[in-house]
Amino acid sequence: MAAPFLEVKHVSKSYFEAGKEFKVLETVGFELAERDFVCIVGPSGCGKSTLLRIIVGLDTPTAGSVRFEGKPLVPENPQVAMVFQSFALFPWLTVEQNVELGLEARHDPPERRHAQARKFIDAVGLAGFENAFPRELSGGMKQRVGIARALAVEPLLLCMDEPFSSLDALTAQSLRDEILQLWSTPDLPPKAVLMVTHSIEEAVYMADRVIVLSNRPGRVVAELEIDLPRPRNRKEPEFFGWVDEIYSLIV
Amino acid sequence: MDLHSITKVSFSQVVALARAVDEHGGQADVARIAEDVEMELDGIGPIVAAAEFLGVVTVEDGDLRLTDFGRKLIKASVKERKAMLREFMKDLPVFRYVIQLIETSARPASRQDVIDALAVHFGSHSAEDLFRALVYWGRASELIAYDSRSELLTLRTPGVPMPPAH
Amino acid sequence: MVARKRLRWVGLVLIALGVSFAIAFPDSARQAATLPLLASFSLGRMAAAYLLALVFAIAYGTTMALSKRAAVVMLPLLDVLQSVPILGFFPAALVFFVATFQGHPAGLEIAVIFLIFTSMAWNMAFGVYESITTIPKDLEDAARVFALGDWLRFRRLVFPAMVPKLVYNSMLSWSNGWFFLVASEIFTAFGATYARPGLGAFIADRGDAGDVAGILIGVGVLAAVVLTLDALIWRPLSIWSERFRIDTTGTGQPVPRVSGVYERLAWLPRFTRLRQWLGSRVRPLMERYSRLATRFDRATSAHRQVMRAIRWIDLGMFLAIFVVVVGSGLAGLSTLLLKPLPAAAYTIPEATLRSFSRLALAYAVSLAWTIPAAVVIARNPRASRVLTPVIEVSASIPATALLPLILGFAIAIAPSQGTGTELAAFLIALFAMQWYLLFNLIAGVRAIPGDLDEAARAFGLRGLAYWRRLLVPAMIPSLLTGSITAWGAGWNALVVSEYIRFGGVRPYTVTGLGSLIDIATFDVPDSEVLLLSILTMVLVVLAMNKLLWRPLFKRAIKRYRLEG
């Protein structure tokens, strides 16, 4: 059998402060296959963001391992890209320069960088804003830049850390739809998406599979296959059924 | 009504509002929509005003009604939306005026040139706000390109990527 | 538009004044013909020192911020260097360089540049360090996730992050530098006068000759050079540097184009056309540069080992120098302590007290006029329009350049030479201190949010209550910032203000730490007294910073910070 696309195995994470141990994650494990859109939900402080940071290589686990395409994960893995809750755009770079960041790090020649950046700026609907600074953009547009920057490096795995929680509800909803639209476009790069959120509705709306973490220390409580047809309607009773079930798992 | 009603609103908010109205069958009370999208009334107010200005909805006694234009907007792709926005924007007096200004000026029009011109034509106290709105909607509709580094405005041929300016 | 018209007027008036001046005082005018050349010499020294300081500051600050181990040593050292009144070392350093080069002009040049460097470097290095350590974590994360190599990370993240503080501190450093330049271009030691051609030397020379017109021309040209630099370099740079400011409010709302933070110098022309023209020239170069940079990126990541080695060699060299300097300093100190104290050492406490009271008086007078002035300028647009240019022109003149004028004035109005010198020492301290207070206070009053002010007025706060409840609390953080800088400048000025030598055999001196240092260097060389005096000054300044200003500042930040 081929190795799973992403394999998170018995990952634990503790912080030590003044000789005391604070457990954040305890033996978390799950797998991601190609074409998976997975959401991790859990109450705030359950370590879900820490888990994501470990997966992208920003943090190291106290125990356990993360394997990507069967190989142990190297930090600064170019095949994993990330979208940040706070956007994390460089304020002194234009939209285009921000999107080119990962390509520059790969030493792509300027022409290729421009072409690639334009393609993804276009894909997230920001054509026309190439030469704008982030401060000129609304929150929703900033996050589009963040998404374009992540997609531009053509990652195999796209990780998103609460990508919509800094946005107003209206903007967040239209961005969710656009991400799903992008995801359904087969020629766009990522083979799998892993998203962390505290909103159960958001997870049910977007994911093929939801991984539910418990309160601190975070453990996997359940893995649920959301089999609702797309596009999903948040007003339907089946939708509420899923939301209620996850609620009861967490509380 | 002029561009001022849309200075603080983004295009995607307008589209999202239209979609929210559509979910209620194309007609809904502003308060219902506000509750639906979890926004305060004073947060949604400018978005409604902008949507009305762009002809996406009509407002009557606090009731929002989706127009045909609005319906088309929801169904359109990102590219088609931009084209629709362009059609609308290019006939606005402010845009006509500035586009003409850029076309006729011998050198690239600078931020200060355009603000000075706007101040003469549309009053000086709000020229900066107006300029900001002009840049935002000019970029969104791909009618006008503005390089924030050099602070120069140029016309943009839609769909054709700008030459890289580094 | 209006500003440009007014500027034309000002220009015309200046030219007319200049012409009539030349007709009235032909001798001085002939002297003045050499001034552009002299100005370019002085400017060259400043530029050389600044470039050195810039390279030093970036290297030092970056190393300190990136290596925790290095920071353990480098941070306290910089802290001391920054609070030490550099002018205390000034006489000793001059003598050292002159002696080493045996009076050769090159030695003098190096001495002058070195001194200006020491007045410029520390605050810039600190700014670099602060900027790097306050880079938001999410940007660091993004740089790691997208695998930015060392050089690219510096180019895209670290360097841009340091730009605002670097520009701001550069402006500060330049005004510090002018102060030192004027003081160091000419000096007398061991009965000989050493001078390098420059504006500072010119002014001092005219002072010796008692040529008031000449002094005025020299000071005028100096002010013009400073202001031209402001208009052509610092103002555009500070507008540009706004682009690199990190918005920490982080709200989703679009933020309007930044403006108004650098209201200083706002009345200077902006030269929009010139900037545009320059921009169109520079852009193709940038394109070339971006290609080169890509190649360089690739090269550096291919040779990471080499880059790391370079950094370690760099650090090693610094440590070596550091060990030598500290070692020799300690050795000197131990020999000093092993011997009985020289008799002159017992005058140090009294001298310290006198210097301190002089500065305290100058500080009090500065406060007395700058607080009301700041409120008027910040609140009244018309007063601001009229006064701001006047104040900034006056502030652009380093106190050292005014020395001959101040001395002449003080001696003219004082009944005896003793009081005259005392008055001069006080006035120089005042001129060195007051501007820092004024500019910080104006910024403090301007930062009061409009709604807070309206609320205060709506609740009927008026007169004294308005001052007590709103203005004073709102001013306190900026008052403290201004006070720290002002006192630093005051200590620095001591060496210049307490011992003034003009032509004559006998210098004008008053009792104080500054004059002790000068006398021990120039008149009766005595390395022990010199070392002890400098040590005392360093200790007093450090004690004031650590025991007075820092705690006050921390408390003020907690209590009076205006949450924006």
Side-chain angles (χ1 to χ4, degrees):
Chain A
M1 201 183 98
F5 183 63
L6 176 80
E7 192 182 14
V8 177
K9 238 180 176 172
H10 313 300
V11 164
S12 297
K13 177 78 185 174
S14 300
Y15 288 102
F16 296 92
E17 207 172 284
K20 268 195 189 158
E21 185 183 4
F22 292 92
K23 279 197 168 175
V24 183
L25 292 168
E26 204 175 326
T27 50
V28 172
F30 62 88
E31 285 173 9
L32 231 65
E34 284 187 19
R35 296 307 297 169
D36 256 351
F37 193 124
V38 172
C39 281
I40 302 173
V41 290
S44 63
C46 71
K48 51 191 188 298
S49 286
T50 309
L51 179 61
L52 200 68
R53 290 175 61 84
I54 290 173
I55 290 169
V56 299
L58 283 174
D59 225 330
T60 47
T62 318
S65 67
V66 176
R67 291 169 91 78
F68 184 73
E69 292 196 307
K71 287 187 270 304
L73 193 99
V74 285
E76 292 152 23
N77 190 332
Q79 283 158 336
V80 181
M82 173 129 159
V83 173
F84 294 83
Q85 175 178 4
S86 57
F87 319 131
L89 301 180
F90 290 34
W92 40 79
L93 300 183
T94 61
V95 167
E96 186 175 359
Q97 289 174 315
N98 264 294
V99 173
E100 284 182 12
L101 201 64
L103 306 168
E104 236 180 324
R106 268 193 341 212
H107 315 304
D108 285 4
E111 298 76 22
R112 212 185 107 70
R113 286 200 319 247
H114 296 321
Q116 185 85 344
R118 302 274 164 163
K119 177 177 160 195
F120 286 97
I121 289 171
D122 217 29
V124 297
L126 280 182
F129 288 90
E130 292 88 349
N131 290 322
F133 285 120
R135 74 169 69 90
E136 296 171 274
L137 307 180
S138 65
M141 297 167 80
K142 281 186 190 142
Q143 195 55 295
R144 281 164 214 268
V145 180
I147 293 164
R149 176 176 67 181
L151 291 177
V153 295
E154 306 193 319
L156 297 177
L157 172 65
L158 178 66
C159 289
M160 298 196 277
D161 184 12
E162 305 256 13
F164 312 113
S165 58
S166 311
L167 307 176
D168 68 84
L170 213 49
T171 309
Q173 189 49 39
S174 64
L175 209 51
R176 280 182 207 118
D177 286 335
E178 278 173 41
I179 293 228
L180 289 176
Q181 217 174 17
L182 284 174
W183 175 239
S184 66
T185 323
D187 60 329
L188 279 184
K191 287 190 177 167
V193 178
L194 183 61
M195 181 172 125
V196 157
T197 172
H198 66 270
S199 157
I200 295 167
E201 273 199 49
E202 184 172 286
V204 175
Y205 187 72
M206 299 192 75
D208 301 321
R209 199 144 49 89
V210 174
I211 293 168
V212 185
L213 289 191
S214 69
N215 220 329
R216 180 179 294 213
R219 269 174 310 235
V220 177
V221 178
E223 260 194 73
L224 306 165
E225 206 77 42
I226 313 286
D227 52 6
L228 293 171
R230 292 172 190 273
R232 291 170 184 167
N233 188 333
R234 290 171 300 160
K235 301 269 179 308
E236 276 171 10
E238 289 92 335
F239 188 89
F240 281 122
W242 279 112
V243 173
D244 282 344
E245 185 178 341
I246 297 176
Y247 251 114
S248 60
L249 282 168
I250 289 180
V251 176
Chain B
M1 266 261 174
D2 58 24
L3 212 52
H4 279 117
S5 60
I6 55 175
T7 45
K8 291 190 170 74
V9 177
S10 72
F11 190 38
S12 64
Q13 284 176 315
V14 172
V15 176
L17 178 81
R19 201 174 283 149
V21 177
D22 189 49
E23 278 183 6
H24 286 275
Q27 186 180 1
D29 190 58
V30 179
R32 281 277 312 271
I33 297 287
E35 198 187 303
D36 216 41
V37 299
E38 300 160 39
M39 275 179 100
E40 300 289 324
L41 268 179
D42 56 348
I44 206 168
I47 305 173
V48 170
E52 191 187 13
F53 172 68
L54 294 170
V56 174
V57 295
T58 56
V59 187
E60 216 171 293
D61 296 334
D63 258 1
L64 303 181
R65 191 192 293 270
L66 206 59
T67 62
D68 287 340
F69 183 74
R71 246 178 272 278
K72 254 171 71 189
L73 196 66
I74 299 173
K75 295 208 184 75
S77 72
V78 174
K79 282 223 169 77
E80 289 163 340
R81 272 181 208 153
K82 281 193 181 258
M84 291 169 73
L85 189 62
R86 193 152 51 233
E87 278 307 302
F88 180 86
M89 288 286 164
K90 77 177 177 18
D91 294 327
L92 288 180
V94 184
F95 269 86
R96 272 203 200 156
Y97 177 65
V98 172
I99 287 172
Q100 206 196 0
L101 185 86
I102 299 173
E103 271 173 347
T104 53
S105 102
R107 52 195 170 78
S110 75
R111 177 179 186 276
Q112 203 54 50
D113 293 340
V114 175
I115 287 184
D116 288 349
L118 287 175
V120 170
H121 237 74
F122 302 91
S124 62
H125 68 285
S126 58
E128 296 241 356
D129 280 343
L130 196 55
F131 179 79
R132 218 175 299 140
L134 181 93
V135 165
Y136 175 80
W137 291 97
R139 279 166 164 169
S141 60
E142 295 184 54
L143 276 170
I144 293 173
Y146 176 62
D147 188 330
S148 299
R149 281 168 300 175
S150 60
E151 304 197 332
L152 294 178
L153 288 99
T154 41
L155 292 184
R156 178 169 172 147
T157 327
V160 179
M162 292 279 297
H166 275 270
Chain C
M1 299 291 140
V2 185
R4 203 169 298 154
K5 213 176 271 170
R6 193 165 28 153
L7 212 84
R8 241 169 246 162
W9 267 109
V10 172
L12 272 178
V13 170
L14 281 180
I15 291 171
L17 274 178
V19 170
S20 47
F21 189 88
I23 295 167
F25 305 94
D27 274 352
S28 308
R30 211 167 306 126
Q31 286 275 3
T34 58
L35 279 178
L37 191 65
L38 294 181
S40 68
F41 285 152
S42 294
L43 198 60
R45 272 169 215 135
M46 288 285 287
Y50 175 70
L51 282 181
L52 283 177
L54 188 68
V55 171
F56 167 83
I58 293 177
Y60 196 97
T62 314
T63 312
M64 192 161 60
L66 296 184
S67 157
K68 277 206 181 97
R69 236 175 301 166
V72 173
V73 183
M74 293 168 82
L75 193 59
L77 179 67
L78 189 65
D79 203 25
V80 173
L81 284 173
Q82 198 190 13
S83 14
V84 163
I86 291 302
L87 265 182
F89 295 99
F90 158 78
L94 274 182
V95 169
F96 170 78
F97 277 108
V98 171
T100 311
F101 285 81
Q102 295 174 334
H104 191 273
L108 282 179
E109 284 298 344
I110 292 176
V112 172
I113 291 173
F114 172 76
L115 281 165
I116 303 171
F117 165 85
T118 53
S119 72
M120 288 175 153
W122 323 126
N123 60 320
M124 283 165 65
F126 222 77
V128 168
Y129 173 73
E130 276 179 356
S131 317
I132 299 178
T133 46
T134 52
I135 291 176
K137 196 167 181 314
D138 59 341
L139 292 188
E140 297 266 14
D141 285 349
R144 279 187 66 192
V145 165
F146 291 102
L148 268 59
D150 289 344
W151 170 239
L152 189 63
R153 189 169 168 280
F154 180 78
R155 210 155 56 84
R156 285 300 192 214
L157 180 65
V158 177
F159 181 73
M162 65 174 84
V163 166
K165 283 207 168 121
L166 208 50
V167 170
Y168 174 77
N169 279 295
S170 296
M171 292 170 79
L172 261 180
S173 290
W174 271 75
S175 63
N176 278 344
W178 286 115
F179 183 93
F180 281 72
L181 174 98
V182 174
S184 58
E185 276 182 352
I186 184 165
F187 69 99
T188 306
F190 320 125
T193 298
Y194 300 90
R196 294 300 302 147
L199 276 181
F202 175 84
I203 294 168
D205 176 59
R206 291 297 85 202
D208 277 354
D211 173 9
V212 177
I215 299 175
L216 284 178
I217 297 179
V219 171
V221 170
L222 181 58
V225 170
V226 174
L227 288 172
T228 310
L229 280 178
D230 277 350
L232 290 181
I233 295 179
W234 298 120
R235 184 166 148 71
L237 266 183
S238 56
I239 293 171
W240 174 76
S241 77
E242 281 301 301
R243 180 181 295 182
F244 298 91
R245 205 161 281 278
I246 294 169
D247 167 33
T248 42
T249 53
T251 49
Q253 283 303 306
V255 181
R257 181 178 182 275
V258 215
S259 66
V261 178
Y262 282 91
E263 275 176 277
R264 274 200 67 183
L265 312 177
W267 50 281
L268 288 172
R270 292 193 53 180
F271 299 108
T272 327
R273 303 268 176 278
L274 187 73
R275 286 218 328 269
Q276 247 176 58
W277 180 82
L278 270 177
S280 66
R281 293 291 125 130
V282 169
R283 217 153 298 131
L285 284 178
M286 295 299 279
E287 175 88 22
R288 286 272 277 296
Y289 161 76
S290 118
R291 240 163 257 275
L292 268 176
T294 313
R295 213 169 302 159
F296 188 64
D297 284 350
R298 206 175 300 165
T300 50
S301 28
H303 305 285
R304 281 184 88 150
Q305 223 64 43
V306 180
M307 293 301 284
R308 204 162 298 160
I310 290 176
R311 204 151 75 201
W312 281 117
I313 291 170
D314 219 36
L315 205 68
M317 267 164 61
F318 169 76
L319 279 177
I321 293 170
F322 177 69
V323 165
V324 170
V325 170
V326 170
S328 58
L330 284 178
L333 216 76
S334 57
T335 55
L336 193 70
L337 292 177
L338 287 177
K339 273 190 275 177
L341 283 178
Y346 295 103
T347 57
I348 288 180
E350 195 212 335
T352 311
L353 205 66
R354 289 234 188 173
S355 290
F356 180 82
S357 356
R358 214 166 279 133
L359 293 182
L361 185 65
Y363 177 68
V365 172
S366 301
L367 275 187
W369 84 264
T370 52
I371 291 180
V375 173
V376 169
I377 289 172
R379 279 306 161 78
N380 183 337
R382 264 193 56 198
S384 167
R385 240 193 337 267
V386 179
L387 290 179
T388 309
V390 176
I391 286 175
E392 277 172 15
V393 171
S394 331
S396 71
I397 304 169
T400 40
L402 295 176
L403 216 114
L405 289 180
I406 289 176
L407 185 68
F409 167 78
I411 289 174
I413 66 158
S416 72
Q417 204 198 343
T419 28
T421 320
E422 192 66 64
L423 183 63
F426 159 76
L427 283 176
I428 292 167
L430 181 69
F431 271 83
M433 292 170 101
Q434 60 192 359
W435 306 120
Y436 294 106
L437 278 172
L438 182 66
F439 289 125
N440 273 296
L441 285 173
I442 293 175
V445 180
R446 287 233 167 98
I448 299 175
D451 53 347
L452 205 63
D453 192 42
E454 269 166 33
R457 285 174 195 276
F459 285 118
L461 278 184
R462 240 163 280 270
L464 210 61
Y466 177 72
W467 277 77
R468 254 192 38 215
R469 293 272 171 248
L470 184 70
L471 280 180
V472 173
M475 272 194 264
I476 280 184
S478 51
L479 174 70
L480 286 173
T481 318
S483 301
I484 296 169
T485 346
W487 274 88
W491 287 110
N492 263 328
L494 284 182
V495 188
V496 189
S497 65
E498 293 180 346
Y499 176 101
I500 309 168
R501 182 189 278 276
F502 271 115
V505 198
R506 241 166 49 86
Y508 300 90
T509 59
V510 290
T511 313
L513 264 184
S515 57
L516 266 187
I517 291 173
D518 286 319
I519 292 169
T521 316
F522 297 136
D523 293 349
V524 201
D526 183 340
S527 57
E528 289 170 4
V529 176
L530 178 65
L531 204 56
L532 280 173
S533 311
I534 292 175
L535 210 62
T536 312
M537 203 194 269
V538 169
L539 286 179
V540 172
V541 172
L542 278 181
M544 267 183 86
N545 281 351
K546 296 280 169 214
L547 303 177
L548 181 68
W549 299 123
R550 294 264 164 99
L552 276 180
F553 196 69
K554 269 191 192 143
R555 265 184 52 192
I557 289 290
K558 256 195 214 138
R559 270 186 63 186
Y560 298 120
R561 187 129 145 221
L562 292 166
E563 302 297 345

